[in-house]
Amino acid sequence: MTTLSPEELTKVIGARLLECRKERQWPLADVAARIAALTGDEVPASRYSNWELGLRRPPLWMALALAELFEVEEERFLDARSAEWAFLSARLMVSKD
């Protein structure tokens, strides 16, 4: 399996965020408010937009919070070919032992 570059992962996550938001028909401002309610962190709509556009990538903890927000598996945001997913999977396996 080929590992995704950081730039490729940023684009993959952005496309998935856009898809999830469009499926729910949520405006950017609504997503930003929902993120704040879930995490306690203010995320301006412009920052979230940069994530969707693949210009920036949310931190790992935020990607996991977004998966929770959109009620999808973490794998949907963190492609199995990414270093982030490998790291998270290893941590999950250790914590289950």
Side-chain angles (χ1 to χ4, degrees):
M1 180 179 346
T2 305
T3 303
L4 291 177
S5 71
E7 295 80 16
E8 291 169 325
L9 181 60
T10 300
K11 296 289 185 190
V12 166
I13 291 173
R16 291 181 179 149
L17 289 172
L18 178 61
E19 175 187 353
C20 286
R21 184 175 65 82
K22 294 289 185 179
E23 283 174 0
R24 288 156 184 78
Q25 300 178 358
W26 292 349
L28 284 172
D30 193 28
V31 175
R34 289 170 188 264
I35 292 169
L38 178 66
T39 67
D41 285 356
E42 296 293 324
V43 175
S46 60
R47 181 178 305 153
Y48 181 83
S49 177
N50 282 334
W51 295 342
E52 275 191 2
L53 294 170
L55 301 175
R56 300 264 188 267
R57 182 173 9 141
L60 178 58
W61 70 270
M62 181 59 76
L64 297 175
L66 290 164
E68 181 180 342
L69 176 68
F70 288 119
E71 299 177 339
V72 297
E73 296 293 322
E74 290 90 357
E75 296 92 2
R76 188 159 183 197
F77 289 101
L78 299 175
D79 192 289
R81 297 169 291 171
S82 72
E84 285 87 348
W85 181 247
F87 171 77
L88 182 61
S89 296
R91 294 288 304 240
L92 291 173
M93 288 170 59
V94 168
S95 68
K96 290 181 181 179
D97 290 342

